[in-house]
Amino acid sequence: LISGIPTTAGSNNVTLYASNAAGVGSKTLALTINAQSASLIAGWDFQTTTTGGTAAAASPSAPNLYQANFGTGAIYLNGSNGSSTWITASSGNEVTAYTGTTNNAAAGFSTTTSGSAALGLLGGTSQSANGKKMAFTFSMANRKDLLVSYSIQKTTTGFSTNAWEYSTNGTNWTAIDVVTNIPTSFGTTTLSNITALDGITNAFLRVTFTGSTSSSGNSSSTATPVISTSGTLGSVSTTYGTASPIPTTFRLSGDNLAGPIQVSAPNGYEVSANGTDYLSSVTVGAAGTLSSTQISVRLASTTVPGTYTGNVVCSSLAATVVNVATASSTVDKKTITISGISAAPKPYDGSTVATISGTPGLVGLEGQDATRVALSSPLANFVSANAGQDIDVVATYSLTGAAASYYNLTQPSGLMAEIQKKPATIRANDQTKTAGTLLVLGTGQTTFTASGLISGERIA
């Protein structure tokens, strides 16, 4: 059993060893870890309640606890989990709701912009909310590399500074970022990547608001990631062992991103953002805006023969996934040849059976298949059984092994060898006579004996 939580994508080899009385053996196991798309942990559009989330409402009906509208998490304005107690009453209220923007509609989020479409925080009487904190709780179990993104706008007298902190226990807090460039029309802010919460089951964030100069000065927030693509992918057929000679491409861009876009290739394909470095998945851009970027797509050199199609998947935190369909493409078998062999001469034996000598090698075999493809014993024959020099020999091999089906084998040609003449003798049979008499040979008395002939052959 090999277990664990992978932290990076890629391919690695693991060598397993075993030993017994017969000796020590080893086997190499190739492990491929595919990159996983970024997933939303918790999101708030402050409208959707069908998921169990909390909707924003104008004062004095504004809640002070907001369950996530998507994913799992909560926002606290009630004095718990490190937050401050914000005033929701009519008098001196510090929490309300405002209209939103269509730019803030992420995957599944409401696109309604009228009414109570965004959470609003006010400076309060005598700017009582300056220094107050809003806290978030969520889980980072089996997750890493937290990205936090929010779209925010303020009035000229609204909160001018957002100071962010994280905690692993809700008691001890560590500063992350201080945001000061808060726009007066909706714009997206993304915090620095937070790795200190990797794997934390009960994770905490909080933000401290300062800089309001009026009781009505306000800030409102929501999220706004959008992925866009253009172009149609073409066929990129190739031969096993060779990546597609000419890749196909499409254009990728993004607006108001909460993090980079992950581009993942379907089975058999690989992608590149620079046209040089190809992987099964690449990360493009960062939080904010991604200008139009060319993405190259091709079949990998290690893709086995067959027909391939699927979608290139473009994903980013809280954004709607965009699929780019590939065109049906094929990987043909690779043709390989045999080297290092010759036909051996033999004495005449009346048959066409030939013997192949030397150590056969496979020319063109891919390195990764060196232990997964082998040659069978050959079937070899002279084209004639008669003795002579430079008689053509036809040898036929077949491929065996786990990767044999990835190749077409070209049979050897130009093999020739000699069938050497075989010595044969003939001897007349002995005869006897009486001394002084004449030997007269009759019918059947001239027999002889032959040796060295092949079975079935005779002297006529």
Side-chain angles (χ1 to χ4, degrees):
L1 173 65
I2 300 175
S3 63
I5 299 174
T7 58
T8 58
S11 297
N12 294 279
N13 291 330
V14 177
T15 302
L16 307 177
Y17 295 90
S19 63
N20 56 24
V24 178
S26 66
K27 189 71 174 178
T28 299
L29 175 66
L31 296 178
T32 299
I33 299 170
N34 293 322
Q36 184 179 18
S37 301
S39 59
L40 180 68
I41 298 171
W44 288 262
D45 66 1
F46 302 108
Q47 298 181 66
T48 304
T49 58
T50 55
T51 57
T54 305
S59 176
S61 301
N64 58 12
L65 171 62
Y66 295 82
Q67 296 294 337
N69 305 103
F70 298 89
T72 303
I75 293 176
Y76 296 87
L77 300 170
N78 59 5
S80 65
N81 294 293
S83 69
S84 302
T85 301
W86 292 69
I87 299 171
T88 59
S90 298
S91 177
N93 68 301
E94 299 166 343
V95 183
T96 188
Y98 292 111
T99 57
T101 171
T102 55
N103 292 336
N104 297 334
F109 282 27
S110 172
T111 57
T112 300
T113 60
S114 59
S116 298
L119 173 64
L121 300 177
L122 303 173
T125 303
S126 300
Q127 297 77 58
S128 57
N130 276 332
K132 286 194 173 182
K133 306 175 189 299
M134 178 170 66
F136 301 74
T137 62
F138 50 95
S139 175
M140 285 291 290
N142 297 322
R143 296 185 174 102
K144 64 188 295 289
D145 298 330
L146 175 66
L147 284 174
V148 177
S149 175
Y150 60 108
S151 188
I152 190 170
Q153 69 176 12
K154 75 177 189 70
T155 62
T156 55
T157 58
F159 299 111
S160 59
T161 301
N162 299 169
W164 287 87
E165 304 166 281
Y166 73 83
S167 174
T168 59
N169 55 19
T171 301
N172 301 311
W173 297 86
T174 300
I176 307 170
D177 284 337
V178 176
V179 179
T180 57
N181 56 337
I182 299 171
T184 54
S185 60
F186 278 113
T188 298
T189 297
T190 302
L191 305 186
S192 301
N193 188 281
I194 304 169
T195 60
L197 295 178
D198 290 357
I200 300 299
T201 300
N202 297 310
F204 299 79
L205 288 174
R206 72 178 179 185
V207 54
T208 301
F209 295 87
T210 57
S212 176
T213 57
S214 168
S215 61
S216 60
N218 65 80
S219 298
S220 54
S221 176
T222 188
T224 59
V226 176
I227 298 172
S228 300
T229 62
S230 63
T232 301
L233 297 179
S235 179
V236 286
S237 296
T238 187
T239 300
Y240 177 63
T242 302
S244 304
I246 302 176
T248 183
T249 63
F250 68 95
R251 309 293 300 188
L252 174 69
S253 60
D255 295 305
N256 304 312
L257 297 173
I261 298 175
Q262 181 173 294
V263 182
S264 300
N267 178 46
Y269 291 84
E270 55 189 4
V271 290
S272 174
N274 59 15
T276 301
D277 302 310
Y278 283 84
L279 296 167
S280 60
S281 180
V282 295
T283 299
V284 185
T289 299
L290 173 67
S291 59
S292 181
T293 300
Q294 179 171 284
I295 303 297
S296 301
V297 183
R298 70 183 187 183
L299 286 165
S301 62
T302 54
T303 300
V304 303
T307 301
Y308 294 85
T309 188
N311 291 321
V312 178
V313 179
C314 305
S315 61
S316 185
L317 183 66
T320 299
V321 172
V322 176
N323 293 324
V324 181
T326 63
S328 180
S329 303
T330 58
V331 176
D332 295 327
K333 293 182 179 182
K334 183 177 184 180
T335 298
I336 57 177
T337 59
I338 302 172
S339 66
I341 61 172
S342 60
K346 74 169 186 175
Y348 171 75
D349 61 4
S351 76
T352 60
V353 175
T355 300
I356 301 300
S357 61
T359 302
L362 289 172
V363 180
L365 187 71
E366 294 298 314
Q368 69 268 19
D369 296 329
T371 60
R372 303 197 302 153
V373 176
L375 281 170
S376 66
S377 296
L379 176 64
N381 288 279
F382 287 94
V383 296
S384 171
N386 296 329
Q389 295 184 339
D390 297 332
I391 300 175
D392 288 333
V393 175
V394 177
T396 304
Y397 288 84
S398 61
L399 297 175
T400 63
S405 62
Y406 305 163
Y407 297 92
N408 286 321
L409 178 64
T410 298
Q411 298 297 334
S413 61
L415 297 175
M416 293 186 295
E418 180 185 9
I419 298 180
Q420 302 156 343
K421 293 181 179 180
K422 182 178 182 181
T425 60
I426 184 170
R427 178 178 179 274
N429 293 337
D430 294 339
Q431 301 291 330
T432 61
K433 74 178 185 71
T434 302
T437 63
L438 180 66
L439 178 63
V440 178
L441 298 177
T443 302
Q445 292 179 306
T446 57
T447 58
F448 57 87
T449 301
S451 63
L453 299 179
I454 302 301
S455 177
E457 294 182 337
R458 65 186 180 86
I459 294 177

